[in-house]
Amino acid sequence: MALSEKDVQYVAKLARLEVTDQEVAKYTQQLANILEYVEQLNKLDTANVEPLTHPLDVKNVFREDKVQPSLTQQEVLSNGPEVQSGHFRVPKIM
Amino acid sequence: MELHQKTIHEVSADLKAKKLSSVELTKAVMDHLEKVEPKVQAFITITRDEAFKQAAEADKRLATGKDITALTGVPVGIKDLLCTKGVRTTCGSRMLENFVPPYNATVVEKLYSVGAVSVGKTNMDEYAMGSSTETSFYKKTKNPWNLNCVPGGSSGGSAACVSADQAFASLGSDTGGSIRQPAALCGIVGLKPTYGRVSRYGLIAFASSLDQIGPFGKDVEDCAIMMQVISGHDSKDSTSADIPVPDYLGEMRKSVKGLKVGIPKEFFPDGLNKEVSEAVKKAIEELKKQGAEIHEVSLPASPYALAVYYVLAPSEASSNLARYDGVRYGLRVPGENIMEMYSKTRAAGFGPEVKRRIMLGTYALSSGYYDAYYLKALKVRRLIKQDYDKAFEKVDVIATPTAPNPAFRFGEKTGDPLTMYLEDIFTVSINITGLPGLSVPCGMSKTELPIGLQLIGKAFDEATLLRTAYAYEQATEWHKQKPSLKEA
């Protein structure tokens, strides 16, 4: 599975990362090296092995549906890069 | 010995007996911290004023004699990815240069609730991605044993500040070795608890199925004191385990007679650094001398752990770091439309290593590659866990080197990402399996750089790790040596 510059451009787009041509060239080489290292996993037969997503047995945790203290609107907005009338402001979407 | 050079268990008796006030202690530590900080550069933010306020509060509490623990009035450092209310938390990234959390992480809240004093926020690899702290946007932390060498990473600042006596203890986080490896490289004790033992609420996430918060201490006892405070269930973290926390200090003092110690041959490959291998073998001999039984164990899938890790950790990271979009917090770079704003913000806010891992993870999770990389890695993850389960049917604890080499020089491993990744070869399998691991100093290279012994335990059995490490430490002098703070 050779990695091409086109793949890297596509992945950068999916990841919402603006990349320069030099970065694409550099990352293509570096990611290809890492993926080549990862390929060693194919030496192991895992046909009958169940995937393990989590080290512990996790189950859904519920709490009582009761109102608990939470952050104020002011606190929540305090780190917003652009805030207006109690909202986060973003560029036009539609 | 000067005040700042002491351990928590040494000063806490004086604090309790009112022979020493927290303000005096904090002043001694803060003065030393600021004096050596130009050399060590362990901190992103030093919180001098807040520290003295907390110390004054601690003194009031000490005066009443109520609710006093070994940490009351003791100055500690906090890794800069743990949220601290009102104190900037950067995660070592430009992205969060101005982020001031409106709440405390649970572990921070726990430290404050027993009256600990925070001296500041410690330097780290950006988003905890690295093994040398060189990927920090802010500064390069130096190894106190040789200022031309790295302190390890990603919790390099937390390790260096304890080693250089800038704090009595500190908190770090460990996703692939980020507590144990810097502890080894800086000559101190570091413990990565079992996944779920310590709440992750308020920890800025890197890889959520691997991340765990843990302590650094000057010795095993101080590490146990910190563990006692930060452990336990938290309803704010749904992965936190509701399992009773033992009395670590009591358990720690028990003998290792009859303890079964496993030695996995896979962790002593041909070509392993001779000094590291000899120091670790000598440490195992010491445990044997004290009555521990040594058994060979096999972990055949563990050599694949690093490959598994470099699929799983970037995959989880690519998902976790999607939240940095310039909308609710963090950097924003304006764009013509929202997509451009996202892409420009993330391009400017993240450094090269973070971008590399986001792209690697995005690729591994993308359509057409998911089965080949992500699913395959999850299957091998189970094989690795099964090996450990089997080994722990035979033994109580497993002993290995922590890092393949002592501290390396700045720039030595930054050219090729894979070279840096290999630094985690002995530590990552513990995150993959969720088991606890501890590093304790066990030797010194000819170049006077510390070497660490890694002890791996059964799930939720940190007590046995502390006991084994304490027994070893009491018979040796490594933890009493102090770094030179010189270039060599």
Side-chain angles (χ1 to χ4, degrees):
Chain A
M1 271 180 274
L3 188 80
S4 69
E5 292 201 353
K6 225 174 129 191
D7 292 329
V8 170
Q9 276 159 347
Y10 174 67
V11 165
K13 198 176 156 209
L14 285 179
R16 308 286 185 261
L17 283 168
E18 193 180 80
V19 281
T20 63
D21 290 349
Q22 285 124 307
E23 281 179 309
V24 169
K26 188 181 76 179
Y27 287 134
T28 304
Q29 180 62 45
Q30 290 176 335
L31 296 181
N33 283 348
I34 299 165
L35 290 170
E36 194 192 313
Y37 178 79
V38 166
E39 305 274 307
Q40 61 173 289
L41 295 180
N42 294 326
K43 284 194 264 177
L44 292 174
D45 178 9
T46 53
N48 298 312
V49 182
E50 281 294 306
L52 179 69
T53 49
H54 216 267
L56 296 179
D57 293 326
V58 277
K59 50 184 186 311
N60 206 0
V61 179
F62 295 96
R63 68 164 173 84
E64 260 186 275
D65 188 14
K66 268 190 357 207
V67 177
Q68 290 179 359
S70 59
L71 298 175
T72 62
Q73 188 188 39
Q74 199 192 349
E75 285 172 315
V76 170
L77 294 171
S78 63
N79 281 288
E82 232 189 302
V83 171
Q84 192 184 321
S85 322
H87 299 279
F88 294 113
R89 192 186 156 99
V90 294
K92 206 165 111 182
I93 293 173
M94 309 254 290
Chain B
M1 191 189 282
E2 291 187 68
L3 208 45
H4 59 264
Q5 295 179 309
K6 294 189 174 182
T7 60
I8 297 175
H9 54 93
E10 284 164 351
V11 294
S12 73
D14 287 349
L15 284 167
K16 273 182 208 167
K18 302 189 187 70
K19 285 184 198 158
L20 173 69
S21 76
S22 175
V23 170
E24 282 172 300
L25 185 64
T26 303
K27 185 169 185 328
V29 169
M30 197 50 94
D31 288 350
H32 173 74
L33 183 158
E34 288 177 341
K35 192 177 118 201
V36 301
E37 181 61 6
K39 285 185 184 175
V40 185
Q41 297 184 51
F43 291 87
I44 293 176
T45 306
I46 298 169
T47 50
R48 189 184 176 96
D49 295 346
E50 288 91 337
F52 281 108
K53 266 184 223 155
Q54 289 174 336
E57 284 299 313
D59 279 334
K60 280 187 209 161
R61 186 158 165 171
L62 287 159
T64 66
K66 272 187 209 149
D67 290 332
I68 295 174
T69 75
L71 274 176
T72 310
V74 175
V76 299
I78 295 170
K79 187 175 181 179
D80 209 18
L81 48 43
L82 295 166
C83 285
T84 41
K85 188 175 179 173
V87 175
R88 180 174 82 132
T89 300
T90 70
C91 214
S93 181
R94 185 185 172 204
M95 185 65 89
L96 294 176
E97 196 171 4
N98 299 310
F99 176 62
V100 180
Y103 67 97
N104 281 327
T106 294
V107 286
V108 171
E109 202 62 56
K110 284 189 171 198
L111 284 181
Y112 289 173
S113 76
V114 299
V117 173
S118 167
V119 291
K121 307 295 295 286
T122 60
N123 194 26
M124 53 181 284
D125 279 300
E126 185 179 6
Y127 284 96
M129 297 178 188
S131 308
S132 66
T133 313
E134 287 167 289
T135 73
S136 168
F137 173 69
Y138 298 93
K139 51 179 66 175
K140 299 217 183 322
T141 299
K142 313 297 189 290
N143 189 313
W145 292 87
N146 179 347
L147 302 175
N148 289 325
C149 290
V150 302
S154 66
S155 313
S158 286
C161 78
V162 172
S163 168
D165 294 317
Q166 295 176 293
F168 284 97
S170 64
L171 288 179
S173 67
D174 189 317
T175 305
S178 287
I179 290 175
R180 291 158 287 155
Q181 183 255 16
L185 270 47
C186 289
I188 59 169
V189 182
L191 172 58
K192 180 246 157 209
T194 312
Y195 186 87
R197 174 59 95 189
V198 175
S199 166
R200 292 183 296 114
Y201 178 74
L203 163 77
I204 296 177
F206 161 13
S208 301
S209 85
L210 307 166
D211 295 342
Q212 187 61 199
I213 298 165
F216 288 95
K218 291 181 190 178
D219 62 12
V220 177
E221 186 166 350
D222 280 6
C223 229
I225 289 170
M226 289 285 282
M227 261 310 277
Q228 201 73 53
V229 172
I230 62 171
S231 299
H233 179 249
D234 177 16
S235 57
K236 288 176 178 160
D237 173 3
S238 63
T239 61
S240 134
D242 200 358
I243 292 175
V245 178
D247 167 21
Y248 290 124
L249 283 167
E251 292 293 319
M252 179 191 80
R253 292 183 209 283
K254 291 183 181 165
S255 152
V256 293
K257 201 154 184 259
L259 185 84
K260 296 188 185 75
V261 180
I263 313 298
K265 59 177 181 298
E266 292 83 2
F267 284 68
F268 296 87
D270 294 339
L272 175 63
N273 180 303
K274 283 255 162 8
E275 290 182 308
V276 169
S277 139
E278 274 167 29
V280 170
K281 284 178 181 161
K282 252 182 144 170
I284 294 163
E285 276 307 306
E286 172 56 38
L287 291 171
K288 194 175 168 187
K289 219 170 90 189
Q290 293 189 32
E293 295 171 22
I294 311 299
H295 298 267
E296 195 169 291
V297 292
S298 184
L299 302 167
S302 62
Y304 296 92
L306 196 68
V308 169
Y309 180 82
Y310 277 97
V311 174
L312 298 185
S315 296
E316 294 189 24
S318 73
S319 169
N320 269 326
L321 272 61
R323 72 188 69 184
Y324 300 99
D325 55 7
V327 175
R328 290 148 301 156
Y329 41 73
L331 182 75
R332 171 185 293 193
V333 177
E336 287 294 310
N337 51 51
I338 195 144
M339 277 295 273
E340 206 181 285
M341 183 198 87
Y342 290 154
S343 304
K344 284 186 184 298
T345 296
R346 292 164 62 80
F350 295 138
E353 182 60 29
V354 175
K355 288 181 193 170
R356 196 151 41 232
R357 296 207 200 183
I358 289 175
M359 287 201 275
L360 185 59
T362 305
Y363 182 74
L365 292 173
S366 66
S367 171
Y369 300 102
Y370 179 89
D371 285 5
Y373 292 110
Y374 187 67
L375 200 64
K376 181 77 190 185
L378 288 179
K379 288 179 174 180
V380 179
R381 181 185 205 174
R382 182 172 300 278
L383 294 179
I384 295 167
K385 177 139 196 302
Q386 284 169 348
D387 283 356
Y388 277 98
D389 289 346
K390 217 172 131 194
F392 279 122
E393 283 171 14
K394 255 174 61 180
V395 298
D396 305 305
V397 61
I398 291 173
T400 77
T402 306
N405 292 294
F408 45 96
R409 287 175 179 259
F410 288 96
E412 198 178 318
K413 296 183 191 231
T414 46
D416 171 24
L418 204 52
T419 316
M420 186 70 85
Y421 297 173
L422 286 165
E423 192 56 28
D424 302 332
I425 191 109
F426 298 140
T427 46
V428 288
S429 62
I430 305 316
N431 302 79
I432 286 168
T433 53
L435 298 172
L438 176 152
S439 181
V440 60
C442 74
M444 204 59 82
S445 72
K446 282 194 203 83
T447 50
E448 283 184 42
L449 289 166
I451 295 168
L453 165 73
Q454 177 174 241
L455 298 168
I456 302 164
K458 295 176 185 171
F460 299 101
D461 193 15
E462 288 82 2
T464 298
L465 295 185
L466 291 164
R467 165 159 68 116
T468 313
Y470 187 74
Y472 170 73
E473 183 190 74
Q474 293 311 297
T476 62
E477 297 286 320
W478 305 117
H479 60 294
K480 290 183 184 158
Q481 298 191 21
K482 291 287 179 190
S484 65
L485 297 179
K486 283 191 181 131
E487 294 181 27

